[in-house]
Amino acid sequence: MERIKIKYALEQEAGSKIKVKGWVRAFRSNRFIALNDGSTINNIQIVIDTNQLEKTIVDQISIGASISVTGDLVESQGKGQKVEIIAQQIEILGIANPEDVQKTILQPKKHSLELLREQAHLRFRTNLFGAIFRIRHAMSFAIHQYFNNNDFFYLHTPIITGSDAEGAGEMFRVTNLQLDNLPKTEEGNIDVSQDFFGKETNLTVSGQLEAELGAMALGQVYTFGPTFRAENSNTSRHLAEFWMVEPEVAFADLNDDMKLSEDFMKYVIQYALNNCKDDLAFLQQREINEDKQKPQAQRNELNLIERLEFVVSNDFERITYTEAIDILKRSKPYKKKKFKFPVDWGVDLASEHERFLVEKHFKKPVIIYDYPKEIKAFYMRNNDDNKTVAAMDVLFPGIGEIIGGSQREERLDVLKEKIKDFNIEEEHIWWYLDTRKFGTAPHAGFGLGFERLIMFVTGMSNIKDVIPFPRTPKNAEF
Ligand code: 4AD
Ligand code: MG
């Protein structure tokens, strides 16, 4: 008999004989097994009669064990489920020694998220992480669907690159030189000509520059891949390895870019609302329970699902950087000197400022655009005021910056001037400059931090809990 997934078994009408496989979540009164196979957050209840099963088999049914069950699907006598399985045959596929289980997070009690992170192999088995990673999957699917529906082409940009797209210098070096015996030039520098690629290479910080090459021929492309930043900041919003989604559109300006970002975010969040109901309901209830332990001021004003619905049904606020500075200067926390970081035209906004604008002032997603050129990357298009660039950041409640984007500087002479100002060697990005020589065109794009999106959709407050295997400073276990 072929097994069916528990998700479908739970939807079936009572009356048939079926086979399911899964891991034991609970075993009560020597009679009721809660079985989960990952296909849904919901367990199926298995009812056993210990007199009808071999004792050695019953003895091996314990939390964490994997089993195969054949039996009759019947209407459930108990509350909480429509159907259950009266077991006729149970096969033990893999035991889980109760003494070992005692020491793990499989033990049914509340565990800290920190402890769960240390047992990455078992954290997938919890309701919480099952829900998070099913949603993470659904979101990546929704992203591909959105772009496919809108005639974008998925472009695979390289992970190993020779360029520092963001110019922030926070890169991981890629080399196969022997680190304890580096070849040196006559001047005493590392002789990179002997390295694998014959030059200095790093893990990519963004696929944008390569995506621009694609957009200049295919019209609309997007990348969706791993991105690496050696930022030594151990915050709840930064990873050393994260996934970025980067659309790039030819014949588009900053307005088109902002419109695309808003439409895109609303689509993928609506997708979660439509397709991840059970998992979202679980996450919402968990958040409500957690909030009860917190002082009033730290509780969420809206429930998780309400927050998602709010984003989908309201326009994002759009303000210039200059307006943002004005609002901040007139704000209560500024006047009461509550902000830690300075608020001055020309200084980058700190997370505290962004969160004030989004969570306190506007109470909705905000797009800030036209930033001072000194604080943004070299490739952003100069505005006519010669002080600002056509950049935009999308800020989300509880997250802060979720998207960063811009219209690109398509004028060769201006771009050359800019790379000089940023101390970038022309010879390193000749291939990028070339796109401005052969039919250059206005174009724009943005980058979405995929994990920050998952944080928003799941309500999780630490980015380490929305990626299966987090990479952070001093942490690359598993
Ligand atoms: O604002 P960023 O640095 O923009 C770029 O890299 C552009 N090249 C994007 C483009 O225009 N194609 O990064 C984009 C987004 C941020 O808004 C943030 O959500 C996320 O990537 N991000 C990180 N997420 C997790 N950990 C980190 N260390 C991140 N750094 C950026
Ligand atoms: Mg940014």
Side-chain angles (χ1 to χ4, degrees):
M1 184 181 226
E2 251 190 74
R3 79 142 174 154
I4 84 163
K5 305 237 165 56
I6 289 172
K7 172 180 159 184
Y8 299 114
L10 289 168
E11 288 168 357
Q12 280 204 355
E13 292 300 318
S16 55
K17 193 168 172 169
I18 64 166
K19 179 190 249 179
V20 294
K21 295 180 183 183
W23 293 273
V24 175
R25 281 291 177 83
F27 185 28
R28 290 189 289 122
S29 321
N30 251 0
R31 190 158 170 75
F32 302 107
I33 302 169
L35 196 69
N36 190 284
D37 67 0
S39 62
T40 158
I41 193 157
N42 301 306
N43 303 327
I44 196 158
Q45 174 154 286
I46 314 289
V47 184
I48 65 167
D49 181 347
T50 44
N51 297 321
Q52 297 213 337
L53 297 171
E54 270 177 59
K55 183 168 182 314
T56 53
I57 292 206
V58 176
D59 286 348
Q60 293 181 72
I61 300 173
S62 63
I63 291 173
S66 75
I67 63 174
S68 170
V69 181
T70 313
D72 291 318
L73 191 72
V74 301
E75 261 172 50
S76 176
Q77 308 295 307
K79 274 192 292 194
Q81 66 265 327
K82 210 175 77 195
V83 289
E84 63 191 16
I85 299 173
I86 307 289
Q88 279 149 0
Q89 206 194 338
I90 290 190
E91 193 189 332
I92 306 289
L93 302 174
I95 59 160
N97 183 337
E99 265 171 46
D100 294 339
V101 167
Q102 278 282 316
K103 293 175 215 141
T104 73
I105 56 170
L106 290 180
Q107 209 196 346
K109 63 167 216 191
K110 199 169 164 9
H111 306 282
S112 72
L113 292 169
E114 288 78 11
L115 186 69
L116 289 163
R117 274 176 227 144
E118 288 169 14
Q119 297 180 23
H121 57 306
L122 294 176
R123 113 179 149 144
F124 290 113
R125 294 266 190 99
T126 62
N127 277 332
L128 177 61
F129 286 90
I132 293 167
F133 293 123
R134 276 186 297 272
I135 290 176
R136 188 180 161 109
H137 159 78
M139 290 290 88
S140 27
F141 183 76
I143 286 166
H144 287 300
Q145 194 168 62
Y146 176 85
F147 287 124
N148 188 57
N149 289 352
N150 289 283
D151 301 314
F152 280 72
F153 300 106
Y154 181 26
L155 193 75
H156 296 103
T157 50
I159 287 173
I160 301 174
T161 71
S163 67
D164 179 3
E166 294 307 299
E170 292 160 331
M171 296 183 295
F172 289 102
R173 186 79 172 256
V174 175
T175 180
N176 74 340
L177 291 177
Q178 263 183 293
L179 295 183
D180 51 7
N181 186 21
L182 290 169
K184 294 279 169 68
T185 60
E186 273 170 22
E187 295 85 54
N189 299 321
I190 298 169
D191 184 4
V192 289
S193 71
Q194 292 190 45
D195 205 344
F196 190 89
F197 297 105
K199 62 187 285 196
E200 185 182 330
T201 51
N202 297 287
L203 294 178
T204 184
V205 295
S206 158
Q208 178 199 320
L209 301 191
E210 289 91 351
E212 283 187 49
L213 271 59
M216 281 298 126
L218 294 160
Q220 303 194 116
V221 299
Y222 71 104
T223 73
F224 186 178
T227 313
F228 307 85
R229 294 201 185 169
E231 285 172 282
N232 208 351
S233 51
N234 222 334
T235 78
S236 58
R237 282 189 284 273
H238 289 88
L239 290 164
E241 175 177 316
F242 62 101
W243 285 65
M244 211 191 320
V245 181
E246 296 182 274
E248 193 66 38
V249 187
F251 314 114
D253 62 15
L254 189 67
N255 260 315
D256 300 320
D257 205 33
M258 292 195 273
K259 196 157 159 277
L260 177 68
S261 70
E262 182 167 347
D263 189 54
F264 165 67
M265 292 301 273
K266 287 179 171 170
Y267 180 91
V268 296
I269 292 169
Q270 184 63 55
Y271 186 92
L273 286 166
N274 295 349
N275 295 280
C276 307
K277 288 200 172 73
D278 290 350
D279 289 322
L280 286 176
F282 171 84
L283 289 164
Q284 167 158 302
Q285 191 52 52
R286 174 184 177 276
E287 190 180 90
I288 291 169
N289 298 343
E290 300 269 303
D291 272 4
K292 281 184 193 149
Q293 324 279 326
K294 293 182 187 161
Q296 189 73 40
Q298 285 172 32
R299 294 184 194 166
N300 290 287
E301 280 174 42
L302 297 177
N303 286 335
L304 176 62
I305 294 171
E306 289 169 342
R307 295 202 296 276
L308 303 185
E309 283 167 346
F310 184 88
V311 167
V312 170
S313 52
N314 286 281
D315 289 343
F316 295 5
E317 194 69 38
R318 293 185 194 184
I319 54 165
T320 63
Y321 168 89
T322 305
E323 284 164 340
I325 294 290
D326 284 346
I327 294 169
L328 289 168
K329 289 218 161 189
R330 279 186 270 115
S331 73
K332 256 199 204 137
Y334 179 79
K335 288 181 178 156
K336 290 188 171 171
K337 301 199 169 17
K338 287 273 164 64
F339 287 137
K340 246 175 73 195
F341 294 93
V343 180
D344 276 312
W345 201 97
V347 178
D348 209 359
L349 299 177
S351 167
E352 58 178 353
H353 308 137
E354 296 179 341
R355 295 187 67 162
F356 170 81
L357 292 167
V358 174
E359 289 158 30
K360 298 282 185 307
H361 190 81
F362 290 110
K363 291 182 183 285
K364 52 154 60 170
V366 178
I367 308 182
I368 302 182
Y369 61 99
D370 287 348
Y371 281 83
K373 63 178 182 186
E374 285 77 17
I375 59 172
K376 289 290 183 187
F378 75 94
Y379 52 71
M380 297 186 179
R381 193 179 196 279
N382 277 3
N383 285 326
D384 292 342
D385 62 11
N386 214 15
K387 275 165 44 190
T388 60
V389 283
M392 62 112 182
D393 277 2
V394 182
L395 315 180
F396 259 43
I399 308 289
E401 181 191 335
I402 196 163
I403 281 179
S406 62
Q407 185 174 338
R408 319 307 189 188
E409 183 53 78
E410 86 285 10
R411 299 161 295 188
L412 182 63
D413 51 335
V414 185
L415 186 59
K416 278 190 167 175
E417 228 16 73
K418 294 192 71 156
I419 66 166
K420 212 190 288 156
D421 293 345
F422 279 81
N423 290 320
I424 301 167
E425 312 265 358
E426 256 186 53
E427 62 191 279
H428 284 161
I429 52 163
W430 62 269
W431 51 273
Y432 181 73
L433 292 174
D434 260 12
T435 58
R436 274 66 171 168
K437 293 182 192 163
F438 301 89
T440 190
H443 60 290
F446 63 78
L448 163 73
F450 183 56
E451 284 73 23
R452 295 196 185 170
L453 170 67
I454 307 303
M455 287 174 77
F456 182 73
V457 173
T458 59
M460 296 303 288
S461 50
N462 194 313
I463 199 164
K464 293 179 188 140
D465 295 322
V466 297
I467 186 163
F469 302 97
R471 297 287 177 257
T472 51
K474 303 279 176 291
N475 169 37
E477 200 65 47
F478 308 108

